[in-house]
Amino acid sequence: DTGVSQDPRHKITKRGQNVTFRCDPISEHNRLYWYRQTLGQGPEFLTYFQNEAQLEKSRLLSDRFSAERPKGSFSTLEIQRTEQGDSAMYLCASSLEGGRAFFGQGTRLTVV
Amino acid sequence: GENVEQHPSTLSVQEGDSAVIKCTYSDSASNYFPWYKQELGKRPQLIIDIRSNVGEKKDQRIAVTLNKTAKHFSLHITETQPEDSAVYFCAAPLTGTASKLTFGTGTRLQVTL
């Protein structure tokens, strides 16, 4: 499968724990995006990278959230001290600069 | 502010009828308008997109129209089939950042037999 892949698909964690998600973009894509989607809503932009540089972060992204793309390939999204309000689908997408964005299957996070 | 409004929120059509979903955007500098289809529990899937240098684009039963003056764009699905049932999202890059897409709130399309 040469599409965007995300791991894990599902994560259940206790409130206060840290979680980390991984995204592997389409190999030739230099842009990688993280979105969050809650039930009944459209994807909400969190942050994006061009190669290894993080170019923009949403105002919605609290300091408990951090994302990295150390070698310009895969990316990780970490949430520290999870809260129930963090429960959502976390979607990764990738594109070429100015190109179409393709989404991964997402990681569904449930904080209990 | 940054805004993409989408209507209607739900749409029910009979198989074979047409469906139209409309979106408006706030940033006149926006130049790219994709539509995504999301089935339950699956990823958003890009189905068609249009750039601001054209007013209409068609791909088989799906078409998108763009009115830059009015800042709105629409998705048209003709000869609807049950497998068209899904949630459809429009999106636009707002605040001049070409890569950051702002999504509409979605339209749940139900195609009935």
Side-chain angles (χ1 to χ4, degrees):
Chain A
D1 185 353
T2 56
V4 179
S5 63
Q6 293 186 245
D7 184 72
R9 295 287 308 280
H10 305 274
K11 178 71 177 178
I12 299 174
T13 191
K14 291 183 178 179
R15 189 174 51 187
Q17 297 294 304
N18 299 343
V19 293
T20 300
F21 311 140
R22 176 180 170 124
C23 172
D24 286 89
I26 294 171
S27 58
E28 62 268 28
H29 286 181
N30 57 350
R31 287 195 168 172
L32 185 149
Y33 318 84
W34 286 100
Y35 287 83
R36 176 171 62 192
Q37 187 177 28
T38 54
L39 200 61
Q41 299 297 315
E44 187 177 52
F45 173 80
L46 294 178
T47 188
Y48 93 95
F49 294 82
Q50 178 156 316
N51 300 313
E52 66 276 9
Q54 188 173 19
L55 295 188
E56 188 170 346
K57 291 169 61 173
S58 167
R59 294 187 300 269
L60 302 170
L61 207 63
S62 81
D63 56 8
R64 296 185 297 105
F65 288 69
S66 62
E68 293 183 342
R69 193 183 184 199
K71 296 182 180 179
S73 56
F74 73 92
S75 175
T76 57
L77 178 68
E78 181 183 17
I79 309 174
Q80 296 182 326
R81 306 181 302 281
T82 52
E83 302 173 356
Q84 286 190 321
D86 297 331
S87 296
M89 175 74 83
Y90 289 84
L91 291 164
C92 176
S94 72
S95 77
L96 292 170
E97 185 173 351
R100 295 168 168 145
F102 297 92
F103 282 88
Q105 293 177 302
T107 295
R108 181 168 295 284
L109 173 66
T110 302
V111 181
V112 297
Chain B
E2 308 164 22
N3 199 20
V4 177
E5 294 189 358
Q6 184 171 346
H7 300 280
S9 56
T10 60
L11 180 59
S12 182
V13 299
Q14 285 197 320
E15 184 179 8
D17 288 350
S18 295
V20 180
I21 303 170
K22 298 181 179 181
C23 286
T24 60
Y25 59 98
S26 57
D27 187 354
S28 56
S30 296
N31 58 5
Y32 172 66
F33 307 93
W35 286 89
Y36 288 84
K37 174 184 179 182
Q38 189 173 31
E39 297 175 78
L40 190 62
K42 297 192 176 180
R43 73 183 80 194
Q45 180 187 6
L46 179 67
I47 56 171
I48 195 168
D49 55 9
I50 192 168
R51 297 194 182 269
S52 59
N53 57 341
V54 297
E56 183 174 0
K57 183 177 177 181
K58 191 172 182 181
D59 182 4
Q60 300 183 340
R61 297 185 297 108
I62 294 173
V64 56
T65 58
L66 171 64
N67 183 328
K68 285 215 71 180
T69 303
K71 291 190 285 188
H72 67 69
F73 56 112
S74 301
L75 178 70
H76 305 253
I77 306 174
T78 58
E79 301 171 27
T80 53
Q81 301 168 3
E83 51 265 38
D84 295 329
S85 296
V87 179
Y88 291 81
F89 293 99
C90 62
L94 300 185
T95 71
T97 302
S99 295
K100 170 190 163 185
L101 291 175
T102 296
F103 284 78
T105 50
T107 297
R108 180 172 298 280
L109 174 64
Q110 180 71 45
V111 180
T112 58
L113 296 173

